[in-house]
Amino acid sequence: MQQLPPPTALRTLLPAVVFELAERFTAAGHELSLVGGPVRDLFLGRSSPDLDFTTDADPDQTLAAVSGWADATWEVGRAFGTIALRRGEHTIEVTTYRAESYDPDSRKPAVAFGTSLREDLRRRDFTMNSMALRLPDLELVDPYGGFADLEQGMIRTPGTPASSFSDDPLRMMRAARFASQLGVSVAPEVEAAMVDMADRIGIISAERVRDELVKLVLGRAPRAGVDLLVSTGLADHVLPEVSALRLEVDEHHRHKDVYQHSLQVLEQAAALETGPDGEVPGPDFVLRFAALLHDIGKPATRRFEANGAVSFRHHDTVGAKLAKKRMRALRFDNDTIKAVARLVELHMRFYGYGEAGWTDSAVRRYVTDAGAVLPRLLRLTRSDVTTRNRRKAEHLAFACDDLERRIAELAEQEEMQAMRPDLDGGQIMELLGIRPGPAVGRAYKFLLDLRLDQGPLGAEAASQALLDWWAEQEHAADHAAAGSRDAARTDQEEKGDGNE
């Protein structure tokens, strides 16, 4: 971490819009300070995407101060003292000094406006975010030791942790998120309060919990953030399936520690993300979250075999269902849910390849079943190898390399990612003389399976195969119909016999 530069140097690090805004508030007789994340990030040498300000002006006075200067303003947060505005490329939030707290049984904060910058800083989540730069002179205001805590890499609260988390229980999630994003630790008293108050997270909306969880997973050290959620009991309320991975200690070491394995897979998957122009630009939430959840079906499927071994049959299928259920509860969008669940469902498929090898048909089907998540699936597969047995690890790595090589070769030959049958729906209907309906779908599936099994056949060979298949379908239908007629005739005859 670097020292905060002197005011003259700070002027070169902050955009001109900061000082333009300060001039308008000063001219109107109001205080204005840059606060929170932007100040913290100056200490860390990071660029902050946010420009957050606090002021003694109320929302009406803020609107008056920026009138004619802001390109646009929004008053969605007026009830909380916040006015948002846009100036050029910058989106800015200006919030009136305030104090807020949560009713124990309510998700909505009670807001009271204040007149003191120091008191406004006291109500903020952590000391590292309770620093401000008074404008326009750039005087540092740090009444709660935020700089010292940031220098030590320690998360502390301006007041007592219990009062801070009571005001807004989501701050407990935020502590774990900062552990992931900034690589910092929580102070012992903060962790103790998180343990004691973990159940308070239940009053927070699923959407707010989800947003913090996404930021945590996308951080530079997601393992640390997840581990903090689990160790404090927060995960019992927001990700209980992950907490459940801590199976009791196996004193004979007959199976892995599933929880620690999952954290390692998460780390390894993040390390396999690509740059902006690659197949899986990092940080990638879908890959990371699937890595974390890939084994959540194991607790429900664990069985102790007669020979002393432990099995987890079908944990991939069970895990996919659990992932969908949890993500729906957290209000994730359908596309993200489907992608994560598909990765969990398919993460074991590769092991059949590593054990016995696959035909070209099996490779094609693997690619088709994975669809758009194939690049992530290949990375999840590699990440799932955490064995300390070097020979086994080398064998699996070779199998991964070989599968990816074959996929690339077949893709080059057949453009597998856009694989379609040799005939489209229109051609199928014309060839068979049928109208739109279920029969077209069955014919399409027949041709797709044929393509997966045999590769591209060409229109002529595919047409003949379809006609042969169709003739078999008609023959089977005629046979079934004849059987139905015979059964009906027999039934009628028996009824006639009974009436005589």
Side-chain angles (χ1 to χ4, degrees):
M1 189 180 76
Q2 63 185 36
Q3 295 286 337
L4 188 70
T8 52
L10 277 177
R11 285 187 172 273
T12 65
L13 296 175
L14 293 169
V17 69
V18 170
F19 304 101
E20 294 174 14
L21 185 64
E23 288 175 6
R24 299 189 72 86
F25 275 78
T26 301
H30 299 300
E31 299 176 1
L32 185 73
S33 298
L34 187 67
V35 70
V39 180
R40 178 199 68 222
D41 287 343
L42 280 171
F43 280 103
L44 295 173
R46 306 187 337 159
S47 60
S48 176
D50 304 315
L51 286 176
D52 295 332
F53 298 85
T54 188
T55 179
D56 62 347
D58 64 29
D60 286 332
Q61 291 169 328
T62 293
L63 286 169
V66 301
S67 177
W69 178 79
D71 298 326
T73 60
W74 297 271
E75 300 183 44
V76 176
R78 170 187 275 273
F80 304 103
T82 300
I83 298 297
L85 58 101
R86 179 172 52 81
R87 170 73 174 180
E89 63 182 11
H90 299 285
T91 299
I92 294 167
E93 287 192 353
V94 182
T95 303
T96 305
Y97 295 156
R98 69 188 190 192
E100 66 183 28
S101 62
Y102 276 73
D103 181 278
D105 299 316
S106 173
R107 295 177 177 179
K108 297 181 179 180
V111 177
F113 297 149
T115 57
S116 164
L117 174 59
R118 182 185 179 93
E119 287 305 309
D120 179 84
L121 295 177
R122 183 178 178 81
R123 71 158 187 88
R124 294 178 180 270
D125 52 6
F126 307 115
T127 57
M128 65 176 65
N129 294 329
S130 296
M131 298 181 286
L133 289 173
R134 285 189 187 274
L135 299 169
D137 297 331
L138 296 173
E139 172 197 353
L140 175 64
V141 181
D142 181 18
Y144 305 106
F147 175 76
D149 288 340
L150 197 57
E151 203 170 31
Q152 296 174 25
M154 191 65 64
I155 295 176
R156 289 192 172 90
T157 55
T160 66
S163 63
S164 180
F165 297 153
S166 180
D167 281 349
D168 184 354
L170 189 67
R171 290 172 175 174
M172 295 184 287
M173 290 284 299
R174 202 171 293 144
R177 188 243 293 183
F178 283 135
S180 170
Q181 287 184 326
L182 304 178
V184 294
S185 303
V186 295
E189 68 274 13
V190 173
E191 185 169 1
M194 292 170 70
V195 172
D196 291 342
M197 303 177 68
D199 62 338
R200 287 274 289 151
I201 200 68
I203 73 167
I204 302 299
S205 70
E207 290 82 359
R208 294 184 72 205
V209 170
R210 175 202 63 207
D211 291 347
E212 284 298 326
L213 182 61
V214 169
K215 292 174 184 176
L216 183 159
V217 171
L218 294 179
R220 74 185 191 194
R223 179 174 188 157
V226 172
D227 206 27
L228 186 57
L229 289 182
V230 172
S231 65
T232 57
L234 279 166
D236 294 344
H237 303 279
V238 300
L239 276 180
E241 297 81 5
V242 173
S243 294
L245 292 174
R246 296 178 298 175
L247 303 172
E248 62 263 24
V249 176
D250 174 16
E251 60 183 15
H252 301 294
H253 304 290
R254 289 177 177 148
H255 64 272
K256 296 178 184 177
D257 181 326
V258 182
Y259 173 64
Q260 291 298 331
H261 163 74
S262 297
L263 293 184
Q264 186 176 347
V265 174
L266 168 60
E267 279 188 321
Q268 293 180 175
L272 292 177
E273 293 166 342
T274 66
D277 299 325
E279 288 184 309
V280 185
D284 185 83
F285 177 79
V286 169
L287 172 60
R288 294 184 181 200
F289 205 51
L292 178 63
L293 302 186
H294 77 286
D295 275 347
I296 59 173
K298 281 190 171 180
T301 58
R302 185 173 60 161
R303 298 290 182 272
F304 295 96
E305 306 296 344
N307 61 2
V310 180
S311 67
F312 304 96
R313 293 188 182 89
H314 308 301
H315 77 271
D316 43 0
T317 304
V318 172
K321 293 178 180 178
L322 291 173
K324 286 181 181 178
K325 183 178 180 181
R326 177 54 47 197
M327 293 181 74
R328 288 191 188 109
L330 289 169
R331 304 291 192 271
F332 278 94
D333 64 276
N334 287 334
D335 289 343
T336 303
I337 293 173
K338 288 178 181 178
V340 170
R342 193 63 168 154
L343 287 171
V344 174
E345 181 183 8
L346 294 176
H347 83 273
M348 291 295 293
R349 181 82 67 88
F350 158 79
Y351 290 95
Y353 183 90
E355 292 167 2
W358 285 349
T359 63
D360 285 353
S361 172
V363 175
R364 292 188 191 99
R365 194 169 296 279
Y366 182 75
V367 171
T368 301
D369 288 348
V373 300
L374 177 64
R376 294 183 176 109
L377 180 59
L378 295 173
R379 285 162 174 79
L380 177 58
T381 297
R382 286 188 179 276
S383 304
D384 198 21
V385 178
T386 61
T387 179
R388 295 180 182 179
N389 183 317
R390 189 176 70 176
R391 181 175 296 180
K392 184 177 180 181
E394 289 175 351
H395 170 73
L396 290 171
F398 174 80
C400 285
D401 291 340
D402 189 59
L403 176 59
E404 291 184 22
R405 176 188 59 77
R406 290 184 62 194
I407 289 173
E409 289 176 353
L410 287 171
E412 186 175 351
Q413 296 170 13
E414 306 173 14
E415 297 181 358
M416 290 174 62
Q417 298 288 13
M419 186 173 290
R420 298 288 185 273
D422 293 279
L423 304 177
D424 61 25
Q427 291 170 309
I428 291 171
M429 289 188 287
E430 181 179 356
L431 183 65
L432 301 182
I434 59 177
R435 305 180 71 173
V440 180
R442 291 194 297 272
Y444 187 93
K445 184 179 185 304
F446 164 75
L447 288 174
L448 178 59
D449 288 341
L450 195 65
R451 170 70 183 270
L452 291 172
D453 290 337
Q454 299 183 27
L457 300 176
E460 184 175 348
S463 297
Q464 186 57 56
L466 180 62
L467 288 172
D468 293 343
W469 173 83
W470 186 246
E472 291 176 5
Q473 301 301 303
E474 289 184 320
H475 176 72
D478 290 343
H479 182 73
S484 296
R485 288 194 298 270
D486 290 344
R489 186 179 303 112
T490 301
D491 185 54
Q492 187 62 41
E493 290 173 351
E494 290 177 351
K495 287 182 179 179
D497 292 341
N499 290 332
E500 289 180 355

